[in-house]
Amino acid sequence: MSVSDPEPATFASPLEEVRARIVRSAVLAGRDPAAIELIAISKTHPMPAIQPLLDAGQLSFGENRVQEAQDKWPGAIANDRRIRLHLVGQLQSNKADAAVALFDAIHSVDRPSLIDALARASERAGRRPECFVQVNIGEEPQKGGCAIAELPALLAQAGRAGLPVAGLMCVPPADTEAAPYFALLAKLARDNGVAGLSMGMSGDYETAVLIGATHIRVGSALFGQRG
């Protein structure tokens, strides 16, 4: 499943191109482009590399590590409270308090112990970030995410704990066609009554939009490949 290049293929910046491709894919799918949140994956990038995106009005950013985000983002957030930070990497339970304090959304909720830790941290902080339950959609032992069979119980536990579950998240296996995995995540979301779909990265975000992604996580298409 692919989308033809937008025409004309001249853009002032990578951000403008990614936004145009999101709009094109959304229109093809009969969706409202405004309902899709572009998360710029800024992990490992310093603030001088991020600033041009902020200047262009990009407000949602994703980080992999709590410590890196703590070191990098407080000043920018103090200058613009509209910035939304998303934790997209794996989260250790002992970092739950720090994550709840800083992030607006956590995309890697994948086990009962982390749900308990986030619930306690949220209660202490009086702040409840959106949570996405990560599904190990390709059943890969090296990746985070709950098993598909465990998803209903994990969602039920999150509900009892008072966590605001915004949706599901997945990372399909590398070097494979992503569409079947995105379609499976969308079906799991429908079957379990959750609305959000955090799926799609630089190489496949257009496909993800066609299949229903509400949040896409784009790094290299915005910042370039790291040497």
Side-chain angles (χ1 to χ4, degrees):
M1 185 179 296
S2 62
V3 181
S4 300
D5 286 346
E7 296 293 343
T10 55
F11 301 96
S13 67
L15 177 60
E16 183 179 293
E17 179 174 358
V18 170
R19 285 172 169 171
R21 291 179 180 275
I22 292 170
V23 170
R24 179 180 175 84
S25 298
V27 169
L28 285 173
R31 302 181 61 203
D32 178 4
I36 300 159
E37 185 170 355
L38 168 62
I39 303 166
I41 302 302
S42 50
K43 64 177 184 179
T44 74
H45 294 285
M47 192 53 67
I50 296 168
Q51 191 61 51
L53 276 72
L54 287 166
D55 293 342
Q58 175 65 27
L59 295 172
S60 293
F61 293 87
E63 295 285 341
N64 259 27
R65 301 179 187 279
V66 173
Q67 184 63 55
E68 180 182 351
Q70 287 176 319
D71 293 341
K72 191 161 67 178
W73 281 102
I77 292 171
N79 289 331
D80 191 341
R81 294 291 179 180
R82 298 174 300 164
I83 292 172
R84 280 173 49 83
L85 278 191
H86 298 252
L87 180 63
V88 298
Q90 296 305 115
L91 177 61
Q92 297 175 335
S93 295
N94 63 3
K95 298 287 183 68
D97 284 287
V100 165
L102 183 59
F103 290 96
D104 299 286
I106 297 170
H107 291 241
S108 51
V109 179
D110 63 356
R111 59 194 185 278
S113 60
L114 182 55
I115 288 175
D116 289 341
L118 287 171
R120 291 192 297 269
S122 296
E123 190 66 29
R124 285 190 290 267
R127 188 172 191 270
R128 297 185 180 275
E130 295 177 353
C131 292
F132 291 80
V133 173
Q134 182 177 355
V135 181
N136 189 342
I137 204 74
E139 300 179 334
E140 299 174 276
Q142 78 278 15
K143 281 187 179 174
C146 72
I148 291 172
E150 297 170 357
L151 177 60
L154 209 61
L155 288 169
Q157 181 190 353
R160 292 192 299 271
L163 294 186
V165 176
L168 306 182
M169 182 271 237
C170 76
V171 181
D175 303 318
T176 62
E177 172 56 51
Y181 297 98
F182 293 158
L184 176 56
L185 193 74
K187 180 181 186 301
L188 292 171
R190 289 193 301 272
D191 289 349
N192 288 278
V194 292
L197 291 170
S198 173
M199 61 188 195
M201 297 185 289
S202 288
D204 52 28
Y205 67 87
E206 294 168 274
T207 298
V209 171
L210 288 171
I211 295 175
T214 58
H215 299 70
I216 58 173
R217 312 180 306 270
V218 179
S220 60
L222 293 172
F223 292 99
Q225 297 287 349
R226 294 188 65 84

